[in-house]
Amino acid sequence: MNAGPAVEAIDLVKKFGDNIAVDGVSFVVPQGTVLGLLGPNGAGKTTTTRMLTTLSVPTSGTGRVAGHDVLAEPDAVRRSMGLTGQAATVDELLTARENLRLIGRLYGLPKQYIRDSTDELLERFSLSEAADRIAKTYSGGMRRRLDLAVSLIAAPPVLFLDEPTTGLDPRSRTELWEVLRGLVGEGTTLVLTTQYLEEADHLADDIIVIDKGRIIAAGTPTQLKDQAGAASVVLTLTYAADLPRAEELMRGCSPEVHVDAAARRLIAQADGLGDMSRIGDVFERSGIEVDDLGLKRPSLDDVFLHLTGHKAEEETDEIDELEEAIS
């Protein structure tokens, strides 16, 4: 068993003519953790994943999965990983059970292992009751769960997920997150590309932000949020008439206060829970009625805007689409 990192990207570069899709990307993913590759469409996330999963040959640089070099040992890399792409790839004319057994046979797995694993995966992904219905009749959420189950039939130690919840409703997305957390708890390593900042925040141990083919930031979700600015205390008043006095009190607690009169809301710069508690005490003594008081930390949306000057969805996926057209 590989004792080193689960995944390594080593100065990966990918060019399409004059277009540089990935420009010197390097990172390391420890075993049993989740790495979130975060970036707008066209940033190079999918291209990076395709190189690490042997679907695309790097222009230069290389990578390792479970200790195997993607250029020198592509077959060993494929045996060590599973991949779930942006669209479900299951055979819609087969049942869930048939899809799982087919992939198991293609892997050359023992028959009894395939039968046992099929039953286990159907149960884990809440597909047992629909196991013998053809996949064409499944909802989008069920197809994504089946696609993920298929990628796990060979029990790979590393799983690459490229926009795994695209097109899912919020409930299906949350259910899939729970499944992924369970996999990580059992030791699976996940490399997750996503535009859903909330998804990266919920799942990732570490996040790499990619923009225009380069890594522009890396760290834990908390570390990245800290780069985007200080936390804020948000206080909402019951009555708009109290705004002038409330603003005066708030300015006595914080050097920077923003007033949203329409929402009866005051927002003050803060260092953390201590400042929120202090402001709460001031308003409790004041007699001013308050609807809500809370601490708001920068979100990953704020991080992305701070780092790139634009939101995650503002660009198009031209380079990644070019690669898919070529391949």
Side-chain angles (χ1 to χ4, degrees), residues 168-182:
L168 296 187
D169 59 78
R171 179 178 177 180
S172 296
R173 185 176 299 146
T174 301
E175 289 175 350
L176 191 55
W177 289 351
E178 290 300 320
V179 171
L180 296 177
R181 288 192 192 98

PDB file of all heavy atoms in Angstrom, residues 168-182:
ATOM      1  N   LEU A 168     -28.198  19.087  -9.714  1.00  0.00           N
ATOM      2  CA  LEU A 168     -29.007  18.470  -8.665  1.00  0.00           C
ATOM      3  C   LEU A 168     -29.769  19.531  -7.876  1.00  0.00           C
ATOM      4  O   LEU A 168     -29.294  20.653  -7.700  1.00  0.00           O
ATOM      5  CB  LEU A 168     -28.135  17.660  -7.707  1.00  0.00           C
ATOM      6  CG  LEU A 168     -27.392  16.452  -8.275  1.00  0.00           C
ATOM      7  CD1 LEU A 168     -26.731  15.689  -7.138  1.00  0.00           C
ATOM      8  CD2 LEU A 168     -28.322  15.549  -9.057  1.00  0.00           C
ATOM      9  N   ASP A 169     -30.946  19.155  -7.392  1.00  0.00           N
ATOM     10  CA  ASP A 169     -31.692  20.058  -6.518  1.00  0.00           C
ATOM     11  C   ASP A 169     -31.016  20.082  -5.142  1.00  0.00           C
ATOM     12  O   ASP A 169     -30.200  19.193  -4.825  1.00  0.00           O
ATOM     13  CB  ASP A 169     -33.149  19.596  -6.388  1.00  0.00           C
ATOM     14  CG  ASP A 169     -33.261  18.195  -5.816  1.00  0.00           C
ATOM     15  OD1 ASP A 169     -33.124  18.050  -4.587  1.00  0.00           O
ATOM     16  OD2 ASP A 169     -33.454  17.244  -6.599  1.00  0.00           O
ATOM     17  N   PRO A 170     -31.310  21.081  -4.322  1.00  0.00           N
ATOM     18  CA  PRO A 170     -30.625  21.205  -3.021  1.00  0.00           C
ATOM     19  C   PRO A 170     -30.711  19.964  -2.144  1.00  0.00           C
ATOM     20  O   PRO A 170     -29.730  19.603  -1.475  1.00  0.00           O
ATOM     21  CB  PRO A 170     -31.329  22.399  -2.372  1.00  0.00           C
ATOM     22  CG  PRO A 170     -31.783  23.233  -3.534  1.00  0.00           C
ATOM     23  CD  PRO A 170     -32.179  22.236  -4.590  1.00  0.00           C
ATOM     24  N   ARG A 171     -31.848  19.293  -2.139  1.00  0.00           N
ATOM     25  CA  ARG A 171     -31.988  18.097  -1.300  1.00  0.00           C
ATOM     26  C   ARG A 171     -31.076  16.982  -1.784  1.00  0.00           C
ATOM     27  O   ARG A 171     -30.371  16.343  -0.987  1.00  0.00           O
ATOM     28  CB  ARG A 171     -33.441  17.616  -1.298  1.00  0.00           C
ATOM     29  CG  ARG A 171     -33.660  16.369  -0.468  1.00  0.00           C
ATOM     30  CD  ARG A 171     -35.105  15.942  -0.456  1.00  0.00           C
ATOM     31  NE  ARG A 171     -35.292  14.700   0.279  1.00  0.00           N
ATOM     32  CZ  ARG A 171     -36.462  14.101   0.442  1.00  0.00           C
ATOM     33  NH1 ARG A 171     -37.565  14.638  -0.067  1.00  0.00           N
ATOM     34  NH2 ARG A 171     -36.555  12.973   1.116  1.00  0.00           N
ATOM     35  N   SER A 172     -31.050  16.739  -3.109  1.00  0.00           N
ATOM     36  CA  SER A 172     -30.187  15.686  -3.654  1.00  0.00           C
ATOM     37  C   SER A 172     -28.723  16.016  -3.428  1.00  0.00           C
ATOM     38  O   SER A 172     -27.912  15.132  -3.151  1.00  0.00           O
ATOM     39  CB  SER A 172     -30.454  15.512  -5.153  1.00  0.00           C
ATOM     40  OG  SER A 172     -31.775  15.073  -5.384  1.00  0.00           O
ATOM     41  N   ARG A 173     -28.385  17.310  -3.528  1.00  0.00           N
ATOM     42  CA  ARG A 173     -27.006  17.732  -3.307  1.00  0.00           C
ATOM     43  C   ARG A 173     -26.594  17.430  -1.863  1.00  0.00           C
ATOM     44  O   ARG A 173     -25.516  16.882  -1.604  1.00  0.00           O
ATOM     45  CB  ARG A 173     -26.869  19.217  -3.598  1.00  0.00           C
ATOM     46  CG  ARG A 173     -25.444  19.742  -3.520  1.00  0.00           C
ATOM     47  CD  ARG A 173     -25.402  21.204  -3.920  1.00  0.00           C
ATOM     48  NE  ARG A 173     -25.852  21.365  -5.292  1.00  0.00           N
ATOM     49  CZ  ARG A 173     -26.534  22.412  -5.745  1.00  0.00           C
ATOM     50  NH1 ARG A 173     -26.865  23.384  -4.929  1.00  0.00           N
ATOM     51  NH2 ARG A 173     -26.884  22.479  -7.009  1.00  0.00           N
ATOM     52  N   THR A 174     -27.459  17.760  -0.918  1.00  0.00           N
ATOM     53  CA  THR A 174     -27.155  17.515   0.491  1.00  0.00           C
ATOM     54  C   THR A 174     -27.013  16.024   0.774  1.00  0.00           C
ATOM     55  O   THR A 174     -26.125  15.599   1.519  1.00  0.00           O
ATOM     56  CB  THR A 174     -28.252  18.117   1.385  1.00  0.00           C
ATOM     57  OG1 THR A 174     -28.333  19.532   1.144  1.00  0.00           O
ATOM     58  CG2 THR A 174     -27.946  17.883   2.862  1.00  0.00           C
ATOM     59  N   GLU A 175     -27.874  15.207   0.175  1.00  0.00           N
ATOM     60  CA  GLU A 175     -27.793  13.753   0.362  1.00  0.00           C
ATOM     61  C   GLU A 175     -26.467  13.210  -0.164  1.00  0.00           C
ATOM     62  O   GLU A 175     -25.844  12.342   0.467  1.00  0.00           O
ATOM     63  CB  GLU A 175     -28.964  13.077  -0.355  1.00  0.00           C
ATOM     64  CG  GLU A 175     -30.311  13.317   0.314  1.00  0.00           C
ATOM     65  CD  GLU A 175     -31.455  12.730  -0.495  1.00  0.00           C
ATOM     66  OE1 GLU A 175     -31.221  12.309  -1.655  1.00  0.00           O
ATOM     67  OE2 GLU A 175     -32.589  12.698   0.027  1.00  0.00           O
ATOM     68  N   LEU A 176     -26.030  13.732  -1.316  1.00  0.00           N
ATOM     69  CA  LEU A 176     -24.770  13.272  -1.886  1.00  0.00           C
ATOM     70  C   LEU A 176     -23.595  13.699  -1.015  1.00  0.00           C
ATOM     71  O   LEU A 176     -22.631  12.948  -0.834  1.00  0.00           O
ATOM     72  CB  LEU A 176     -24.602  13.806  -3.305  1.00  0.00           C
ATOM     73  CG  LEU A 176     -23.468  13.200  -4.134  1.00  0.00           C
ATOM     74  CD1 LEU A 176     -23.590  11.680  -4.200  1.00  0.00           C
ATOM     75  CD2 LEU A 176     -23.452  13.773  -5.542  1.00  0.00           C
ATOM     76  N   TRP A 177     -23.679  14.890  -0.431  1.00  0.00           N
ATOM     77  CA  TRP A 177     -22.629  15.328   0.490  1.00  0.00           C
ATOM     78  C   TRP A 177     -22.487  14.357   1.652  1.00  0.00           C
ATOM     79  O   TRP A 177     -21.377  14.040   2.087  1.00  0.00           O
ATOM     80  CB  TRP A 177     -22.938  16.715   1.034  1.00  0.00           C
ATOM     81  CG  TRP A 177     -22.808  17.825   0.040  1.00  0.00           C
ATOM     82  CD1 TRP A 177     -22.293  17.746  -1.230  1.00  0.00           C
ATOM     83  CD2 TRP A 177     -23.186  19.185   0.226  1.00  0.00           C
ATOM     84  NE1 TRP A 177     -22.353  18.969  -1.838  1.00  0.00           N
ATOM     85  CE2 TRP A 177     -22.881  19.875  -0.979  1.00  0.00           C
ATOM     86  CE3 TRP A 177     -23.756  19.889   1.284  1.00  0.00           C
ATOM     87  CZ2 TRP A 177     -23.132  21.241  -1.130  1.00  0.00           C
ATOM     88  CZ3 TRP A 177     -24.001  21.241   1.128  1.00  0.00           C
ATOM     89  CH2 TRP A 177     -23.691  21.910  -0.059  1.00  0.00           C
ATOM     90  N   GLU A 178     -23.611  13.899   2.182  1.00  0.00           N
ATOM     91  CA  GLU A 178     -23.569  12.959   3.307  1.00  0.00           C
ATOM     92  C   GLU A 178     -22.878  11.660   2.902  1.00  0.00           C
ATOM     93  O   GLU A 178     -22.096  11.084   3.669  1.00  0.00           O
ATOM     94  CB  GLU A 178     -24.994  12.668   3.808  1.00  0.00           C
ATOM     95  CG  GLU A 178     -25.654  13.838   4.507  1.00  0.00           C
ATOM     96  CD  GLU A 178     -24.880  14.277   5.733  1.00  0.00           C
ATOM     97  OE1 GLU A 178     -24.387  13.406   6.477  1.00  0.00           O
ATOM     98  OE2 GLU A 178     -24.742  15.502   5.946  1.00  0.00           O
ATOM     99  N   VAL A 179     -23.169  11.189   1.697  1.00  0.00           N
ATOM    100  CA  VAL A 179     -22.515   9.971   1.201  1.00  0.00           C
ATOM    101  C   VAL A 179     -21.003  10.183   1.099  1.00  0.00           C
ATOM    102  O   VAL A 179     -20.202   9.331   1.507  1.00  0.00           O
ATOM    103  CB  VAL A 179     -23.096   9.564  -0.169  1.00  0.00           C
ATOM    104  CG1 VAL A 179     -22.262   8.445  -0.784  1.00  0.00           C
ATOM    105  CG2 VAL A 179     -24.546   9.114  -0.019  1.00  0.00           C
ATOM    106  N   LEU A 180     -20.603  11.331   0.577  1.00  0.00           N
ATOM    107  CA  LEU A 180     -19.175  11.618   0.401  1.00  0.00           C
ATOM    108  C   LEU A 180     -18.466  11.720   1.748  1.00  0.00           C
ATOM    109  O   LEU A 180     -17.343  11.239   1.904  1.00  0.00           O
ATOM    110  CB  LEU A 180     -18.993  12.896  -0.403  1.00  0.00           C
ATOM    111  CG  LEU A 180     -19.503  12.850  -1.852  1.00  0.00           C
ATOM    112  CD1 LEU A 180     -19.326  14.203  -2.527  1.00  0.00           C
ATOM    113  CD2 LEU A 180     -18.796  11.764  -2.645  1.00  0.00           C
ATOM    114  N   ARG A 181     -19.123  12.318   2.723  1.00  0.00           N
ATOM    115  CA  ARG A 181     -18.520  12.386   4.059  1.00  0.00           C
ATOM    116  C   ARG A 181     -18.305  10.981   4.621  1.00  0.00           C
ATOM    117  O   ARG A 181     -17.299  10.704   5.276  1.00  0.00           O
ATOM    118  CB  ARG A 181     -19.419  13.184   5.006  1.00  0.00           C
ATOM    119  CG  ARG A 181     -19.436  14.680   4.734  1.00  0.00           C
ATOM    120  CD  ARG A 181     -20.110  15.433   5.872  1.00  0.00           C
ATOM    121  NE  ARG A 181     -20.382  16.816   5.517  1.00  0.00           N
ATOM    122  CZ  ARG A 181     -21.542  17.270   5.093  1.00  0.00           C
ATOM    123  NH1 ARG A 181     -22.574  16.442   4.972  1.00  0.00           N
ATOM    124  NH2 ARG A 181     -21.710  18.540   4.798  1.00  0.00           N
ATOM    125  N   GLY A 182     -19.256  10.095   4.360  1.00  0.00           N
ATOM    126  CA  GLY A 182     -19.115   8.711   4.820  1.00  0.00           C
ATOM    127  C   GLY A 182     -17.927   8.021   4.181  1.00  0.00           C
ATOM    128  O   GLY A 182     -17.185   7.288   4.844  1.00  0.00           O
TER     129      GLY A 182
END
